[in-house]
Amino acid sequence: MSEPAQLPPPPIVPAATVRRLSLKVTRRLDGLLQGDHLGFLPGPGTEAADARSYQAGDDVRRIDWAITARTGETHIRTTIAERELETTLVLDLSTSMSFGTATAEKRDVGIAVAAAFLHMAKGPGDRVGALLVGNDGIRALPPRAGSAGAYATLSAMLRQPRETGPSGDRLAAALRAAGARQRRRGLVVVVSDLLEPVEQWERPLRTVAARHDVVVVQVVDRRERELPAVGVLRLVDPDTGREVDVRTNAKTRERYAEAAAARAEAQRAAVRSAGADHVEVRTEDDWLPQLARYLTRRRRTRAVVPAGRA
C-alpha cells in the first residue's frame, strides 16, 4: 500500500504580503472609523490613586475603611481610568475555517478581522498577543506593543498552514489559555466559526468574560445556512472527514435551513449569556462594514457613563 500523500510545508510569507494586507486594512479602517481605539473609555477605572474626604453623592463602595479608621473621617479611594489595554486575539484557523463558497474563505476573513483589531489596539502602552488555533494545537504569540508588534503578529498569522484534516476540539482549550495568560483586566477577541459543540466552549467563554471584556466575531459562509438546488450533493464534515450524499430537494433545503438557523441562534445565545459581545461576519459580504457597525454600537453604548460615576 502506498503511503498517504504529505502536504507541503507552509510557504514563507513575503514581507510585502504582510505589508499590503496591513496597509489595506489600516486605510479602510481609518477611512471608515477615523482610527477608533479599543481602549477602555473614561470612567471610574480600577487603578488605585489618592484618597480624599467623602462628599455627598460619592459611591459608598469606594470608602477606604483603613484610612477612615485611622483619621476618624470618612475617606474614599479615587481611581484612575484605564488607558492602556492588553488584548489577546484568539484566532481559529482549524480545518472548518478553510472553507468558503463566495469571495473568500472563512480563514481569509478571520485574518483580516484580526488585522483590524491589531490596528485598533496599538495605542500608547497597549499590547496585543494572540493564540492561534490549529489542528495540532495552540500556538501562543507573546503580547507585543506598537506597529512593529502588530506587524510581527500579523505575519505569524499569515504563516499558519491552511488546515485540511480532522481538527478535534481546540477552541475551548484556547479560551482557557486566554484566561490563564491575561491576569489584568483586558480585551479578548475570539475570531471563529464556532462550529465546535456549544457545550464545550460555552463555560470557558463564560469564565473569560467574567474577568475580561470579550468580543466574539463569528465568521460564517452562506452554504452553512442554506443548500443550493443542485440535485445530489456530497457534504463533508471538515473536522471529522465524514462524507454524506444529500438530495437537495425543496424539503431537504428547508430542513437544512431550519436546522442551521436553530444552531446559529444557539451559538448567539451562548455567547451573549456568557457575557460577551457577538458579531457575525459573512464571507459573501464585505467584512469591514459588518465590523464597523458593531464598533459604532460599542462606542455609543460605552460612551454612556452612569450618573454619579464619572
Side-chain angles (χ1 to χ4, degrees):
M1 178 180 290
S2 61
E3 294 184 358
Q6 297 295 318
L7 292 174
I12 298 176
V13 178
T17 301
V18 183
R19 284 195 295 269
R20 280 197 299 271
L21 176 57
S22 179
L23 185 61
K24 178 180 179 181
V25 168
T26 298
R27 283 178 173 173
R28 296 193 65 206
L29 202 62
D30 283 346
L32 192 59
L33 297 176
Q34 290 78 49
D36 239 355
H37 180 251
L38 289 174
F40 297 113
L41 290 173
T46 59
E47 294 296 310
D50 298 324
R52 62 170 174 80
S53 297
Y54 176 86
Q55 299 176 4
D58 285 337
D59 189 345
V60 296
R61 291 173 297 180
R62 297 188 180 278
I63 294 176
D64 189 317
W65 294 107
I67 298 179
T68 298
R70 188 168 63 249
T71 63
E73 181 183 353
T74 304
H75 280 70
I76 66 166
R77 176 66 67 179
T78 60
T79 55
I80 301 172
E82 299 167 76
R83 301 290 182 178
E84 298 179 357
L85 179 69
E86 181 167 328
T87 300
T88 297
L89 297 174
V90 179
L91 178 59
D92 185 356
L93 295 175
S94 59
T95 297
S96 63
M97 291 288 286
S98 299
F99 175 78
T101 59
T103 58
E105 289 187 347
K106 291 186 288 183
R107 168 193 169 92
D108 301 326
V109 175
I111 291 176
V113 169
F117 279 96
L118 278 169
H119 171 66
M120 289 184 291
K122 60 181 183 181
D126 293 350
R127 300 192 308 163
V128 185
L131 296 170
L132 308 184
V133 183
N135 288 1
D136 296 331
I138 302 166
R139 180 184 177 191
L141 304 178
R144 296 180 172 99
S147 298
Y151 181 88
T153 301
L154 178 57
S155 179
M157 292 176 178
L158 289 169
R159 287 199 305 269
Q160 280 291 107
R162 182 181 182 277
E163 306 286 10
T164 58
S167 62
D169 301 320
R170 303 289 185 184
L171 182 58
L175 289 171
R176 286 191 288 268
R181 68 179 276 171
Q182 195 164 323
R183 300 295 182 181
R184 182 181 175 186
R185 178 174 177 263
L187 176 67
V188 176
V189 179
V190 182
V191 183
S192 172
D193 53 15
L194 300 182
L195 288 186
E196 292 183 18
V198 169
E199 58 271 16
Q200 294 187 10
W201 53 258
E202 182 177 15
R203 179 172 292 182
L205 180 64
R206 187 183 302 273
T207 301
V208 175
R211 179 181 296 178
H212 303 291
D213 188 9
V214 179
V215 179
V216 177
V217 182
Q218 184 177 8
V219 186
V220 298
D221 186 85
R222 61 184 176 188
R223 290 298 172 240
E224 295 168 340
R225 305 188 306 273
E226 60 185 31
L227 289 177
V230 292
V232 177
L233 180 66
R234 174 160 295 182
L235 302 179
V236 181
D237 186 328
D239 288 325
T240 65
R242 179 171 174 264
E243 298 182 0
V244 59
D245 291 331
V246 176
R247 187 175 299 278
T248 58
N249 54 38
K251 184 176 181 180
T252 299
R253 297 198 307 275
E254 181 181 359
R255 291 175 58 191
Y256 182 93
E258 291 174 353
R263 180 181 65 183
E265 180 54 36
Q267 292 164 339
R268 285 192 294 270
V271 170
R272 290 168 179 164
S273 68
D277 289 351
H278 179 269
V279 189
E280 182 179 278
V281 176
R282 300 185 175 187
T283 59
E284 65 266 28
D285 301 321
D286 186 354
W287 62 269
L288 183 55
Q290 300 172 72
L291 181 61
R293 283 192 291 270
Y294 160 72
L295 292 171
T296 300
R297 290 195 305 270
R298 173 189 171 97
R299 183 176 59 236
R300 289 173 178 170
T301 300
R302 291 169 183 264
V304 179
V305 179
R309 299 194 55 161

